[in-house]
Amino acid sequence: MAQVPVTEGVFTWPSESPQLIGSRCVTCGNHMFPVQQGCPKCTGAETEEVLLGRRGTLWTWTVQGFPPKAPPYAGDVDPKTFKAFGVGYVELPGQLKIESRLTEADPEKLKIGMEMEMVIVPLSTDANGNEVVTFAFAPVA
Amino acid sequence: MTTEVAIVGIGMHEFGRTEGVSGMDQGVIAVRRACADAGVSWEDMQFAFGGSMAAGAADTMVSLLGLTGLQFINVANGCATGGSALFSAYNTIRSGVFDLGIAVGFDKHERGAFRVNTKGSGLGDWYGASGLALTTQFFGMKINRYMHEYGISQSTLAKVSEKAFRNGAMNPMAWRRKPISEEEVLNSAMLSYPLTQYMFCSPGEGGVALILARADKAHLYTDKPIFLKAAVVRSRRFGSFEVLAPSIALEHNAGPTVDASKAAFEMAGMGPKDMDLAQLQDTESGAEVMHMAENGFCEHGEQEFMIQAGETEIGGKFPVNTDGGCLANGEPIGASGLRQVYENVLQLRGQAGARQVPNDPKTAYTHVYGAPGISGVTILSR
Ligand SMILES: [Zn+2]
């Protein structure tokens, strides 16, 4: 089964070590994600594309305990098979905090400050039978 | 020299679920009740500001209320729609353009968590597809971080809900009027850790209308005018942590609530210690806890003691969300901020019945917060 990204331009794919694609302000160095033109920090209008770090620390988190509404959600929404998933903000040093799915959903195993690493995870299957993938962060073993 | 502004009439349609009555009709009923309260007719209204998020353009209600030709301006400003309508009405009178007018908000939402329009919120389709476009996640993550930093307990979150449903039980206009114990709150389904089902409010229905007049003419309509001392709306600044954000800056900014609160106190010439009670945005119970500090009513972390000691109960030192808040009333977006003001007018008039705050409160505060990082504050006094 072929793997396709949930969208183009948000993370590098296919790749051995995928990275999120963000922007950096040419004027003040502020980082943004996803790519955007215009800097909310200094109001500068010029930004350049930048690949973001793959590792960081968990700044905060929650667990999505019920199936999100579909659309917009593309994953499993069947209450019988739905599996809760973690969501958090991961602080990438010197860059910014990224909101992301987490591969861990057990509150006992999620701790603010823990080391996290970016991974690619399956989300759904599209009409052509391809596996749709998105990004997530996983605890560093 | 600006004109002072008084609220001279209030009207509300019951919050909750009303089958067969559209959101717009609920707004119209609220307007009729506000007119009756002030002893005026719709023809007397010189202007109106109104809004809803999901129940239609407010200005079309003139075909139900009467085509009097008044200036009617629609307001659409997310969770601050009601607050923005009130801000606009307040300043219209303050500037001397008109003497008497109305702010109205109403709504009727589908059941379940809000379905986020990612495009309308400036977000890519991937964001919703990946399971990140839920406002409930933000609330879980914000309070989880806050509990970690300031030592707030799960029990305190549950006590906020318990209080809301107890107060709601005394409010004939509230949606949820059955007390729910702390234990039941803690044992309900975990929706977005650490927040359980009974710690969240639900989208709902309802309508509220407020009639405003020049303060020097308020005696024509009421013997209990309530003065609007401040009405402020603020948006977010760089570094604040807000709902539906794919990323946030490393720098920390306290957010729009702190800005709106400071500006409102400055405008009113008062401080947090001068307030006798408050209605604070409680989309979920953690929000009420955090908003107590963000609005200046305590230091971060002091809520743990205050709530455990019952200080925010109706008979406590500083009553918060006396009508049951969003938790017991639900959240019809367009009407929610105006509901808070409606409750404060009742409290300051001494007309809040079983939930009346004792010792004749003289001042009252409201605060609304919502997407995409917007806060509205009002200060009322007798
Ligand atoms: Zn910049």
Side-chain angles (χ1 to χ4, degrees), chain A residues 24-30 32 38-47:
Chain A
R24 183 168 48 211
C25 174
V26 171
T27 311
C28 77
N30 177 47
M32 293 149 268
C39 174
K41 183 175 184 182
C42 76
T43 73
E46 201 184 336
T47 63

Side-chain angles (χ1 to χ4, degrees), chain B residues 7-19:
Chain B
I7 298 174
V8 298
I10 59 174
M12 181 171 184
H13 182 279
E14 291 76 358
F15 275 36
R17 290 281 174 203
T18 313
E19 295 298 332

Side-chain angles (χ1 to χ4, degrees), chain B residues 115-137:
Chain B
R115 188 192 303 269
V116 171
N117 173 353
T118 46
K119 278 220 167 51
S121 306
L123 300 160
D125 288 340
W126 66 271
Y127 186 74
S130 298
L132 301 176
L134 288 100
T135 56
T136 40
Q137 293 171 352

